[in-house]
Amino acid sequence: VFFDAGDASAVETARAAALELAGLWADSLATAAPVDAATRTRLAARDAVVRRVAADASPDNINRKIVYGPDLFKKTKDLLAGAANARKSPRVLCVGCSGGTGIRAVRGLLEGGVDPATTKFITRDPSKPAAKTLAALGLEPVVADLDDAASLVDIGAGCDAVYVHGTTGDEKQIDKAEAPRAKALAEALATAKTPPLVIYNSVAAPDDTGIPRIEQKHAAEAAFRSALPGRTAILRAHLFMEELWKGYTRPSIAKGTYGFSVPRDKPLCLTSVKDMGAVAARCAFEDAAPAAPLEVVSDVLSPLEMAAAFGDAQGSSVKHRQSWALYLFSRVLLPELHQIIRFYRKTDFEPYAAAAAPAMAAALREPAPLQSFAGFLEETGWGDASRTYEDLARES
């Protein structure tokens, strides 16, 4: 607790609080009753989980990481959790993580407790800037190409888990090889004597949308589940918060207008890419392969509420504008974009929002803490007009 030691009233308040807490602790010890050995074991296990969660979710983790550096920071977390409760990091292979969102997901993995020293990533060229960024985080590059079956032989050897952020780039044109690449990777991983857990980043939507990008993601899900039954965790993302940083969105918001062709009061599910990594870390630590996909819902806000959050973050008013012109224009000239806009306009996201947290709690012993939209804007430095989408991977 920080207070002004020169302020007598502040010192007295701190002293009174400390004495009160000490008194409560002493009273609890005095009134505690002995328990049998089985109960002691159960309580010790519960306390170990509480200490581990408290250590991982401490709001001071960001500051300690900056002050101590990554190695000493990890040691302090394990000390807070208790020496006997320190856990061994799973060995993780990251696939499709060399783009901006992929690197964000990796950061979520590492902040979720995965040790960079036990983490590798696939790259076709270790000399590329994105590969160097991942290497600088402490990950080991593995040269392979999802389009080259020979390079995938034994690709999962020595891994406990494989986090697949994607099997295609973030391209404007649809890459029809997305599902075939997933199938090739799944079949290669399935040849291992002990197949690793595959954690796949997919998209939240029904299976019959008719939208090619969504259909391909769900086809990739099926490929992993078919080749690796009982060894696949599907994480379904909603609208990525990071997308709002891109060049087609951020400049207009900075000028005071958030254009989105959705009614201003319609609740939308939002996902921080970092949270995809954080949930993947929990799956890896617990070797969890839920039977049903897990929806990763970081926050639920309407466009009107999102506009208000943008305004708070950048210190100037932002208004939501429902872009009817784009909606009508895309119907004629940009059919895929029109399908996606229509999906957001017509889908009721409230059932997704209501079911997400209970499903996560049922699937994982220690669900990952997720990032609010306001927290995301603060963490990524939205208020700094000089920052760009590219900075998210480099610095955040």
Side-chain angles (χ1 to χ4, degrees):
V1 177
F2 296 94
F3 58 90
D4 184 358
D7 184 336
S9 63
V11 173
E12 182 57 33
T13 299
R15 176 177 176 276
L19 288 173
E20 182 178 355
L21 287 172
L24 290 171
W25 176 249
D27 290 343
S28 68
L29 290 177
T31 57
V35 296
D36 57 63
T39 302
R40 283 199 303 274
T41 300
R42 180 176 57 81
L43 290 174
R46 181 205 64 183
D47 291 346
V49 171
V50 170
R51 292 185 67 178
R52 181 77 257 174
V53 171
D56 286 344
S58 170
D60 199 39
N61 278 348
I62 294 175
N63 292 332
R64 289 210 309 274
K65 194 170 187 179
I66 293 171
V67 173
Y68 299 144
D71 293 336
L72 188 55
F73 164 69
K74 182 179 182 300
K75 291 179 181 178
T76 64
K77 280 214 306 180
D78 286 339
L79 285 171
L80 288 172
N85 195 33
R87 57 192 172 191
K88 183 180 178 181
S89 176
R91 298 164 297 178
V92 179
L93 174 68
C94 298
V95 179
C97 290
S98 58
T101 61
I103 294 173
R104 287 273 298 170
V106 169
R107 293 182 187 276
L109 269 170
L110 302 185
E111 290 182 14
V114 173
D115 189 342
T118 64
T119 308
K120 302 178 180 180
F121 68 98
I122 284 180
T123 179
R124 285 176 292 187
D125 184 356
S127 68
K128 286 190 174 181
K132 289 182 176 180
T133 297
L134 290 171
L137 292 174
L139 279 65
E140 177 186 344
V142 175
V143 177
D145 186 341
L146 296 183
D147 292 320
D148 178 5
S151 73
L152 300 179
V153 174
D154 294 330
I155 195 67
C159 293
D160 301 306
V162 177
Y163 172 66
V164 184
H165 190 68
T167 57
T168 184
D170 186 8
E171 308 292 344
K172 292 182 180 179
Q173 296 296 321
I174 296 175
D175 185 350
K176 294 183 180 180
E178 181 174 14
R181 288 192 193 106
K183 183 173 183 291
L185 176 61
E187 290 174 349
L189 294 171
T191 63
K193 184 176 180 181
T194 304
L197 174 73
V198 169
I199 308 162
Y200 178 60
N201 163 37
S202 188
V203 59
D207 291 328
D208 57 355
T209 63
I211 300 173
R213 290 182 192 271
I214 294 176
E215 298 298 312
Q216 287 190 174
K217 284 284 189 184
H218 289 189
E221 289 183 15
F224 285 118
R225 286 198 183 279
S226 175
L228 296 153
R231 297 299 296 152
T232 301
I234 303 298
L235 308 184
R236 287 186 169 181
H238 287 263
L239 178 62
F240 276 153
M241 297 177 184
E242 284 78 0
E243 290 291 318
L244 299 165
W245 268 89
K246 290 188 173 179
Y248 57 79
T249 306
R250 178 162 162 76
S252 63
I253 297 173
K255 293 177 181 177
T257 301
Y258 171 40
F260 193 18
S261 301
V262 171
R264 62 182 56 198
D265 59 350
K266 179 182 177 65
L268 298 171
C269 295
L270 306 175
T271 303
S272 164
V273 177
K274 258 193 177 181
D275 287 347
M276 298 299 286
V279 176
R282 294 306 322 137
C283 290
F285 271 109
E286 299 183 18
D287 198 37
L294 291 179
E295 308 271 341
V296 181
V297 178
S298 304
D299 208 343
V300 182
L301 295 174
S302 68
L304 193 64
E305 292 169 324
M306 292 170 68
F310 283 128
D312 290 342
Q314 66 190 41
S316 60
S317 177
V318 176
K319 294 183 179 180
H320 168 252
R321 176 173 57 81
Q322 192 173 168
S323 306
W324 281 107
L326 177 60
Y327 182 66
L328 298 173
F329 173 79
S330 65
R331 185 173 184 176
V332 178
L333 298 177
L334 299 167
E336 187 197 355
L337 176 60
H338 183 78
Q339 283 181 307
I340 293 172
I341 294 174
R342 182 177 173 81
F343 170 74
Y344 281 108
R345 287 179 59 82
K346 299 296 184 181
T347 303
D348 180 5
F349 290 101
E350 293 192 72
Y352 289 93
M360 197 77 74
L364 298 171
R365 295 190 301 274
E366 299 179 35
L370 304 181
Q371 190 172 46
S372 69
F373 186 57
F376 164 79
L377 294 177
E378 180 180 4
E379 180 246 328
T380 55
W382 182 271
D384 182 349
S386 69
R387 286 177 62 79
T388 66
Y389 174 74
E390 289 69 28
D391 290 323
L392 298 191
R394 287 195 297 262
E395 302 171 12
S396 60

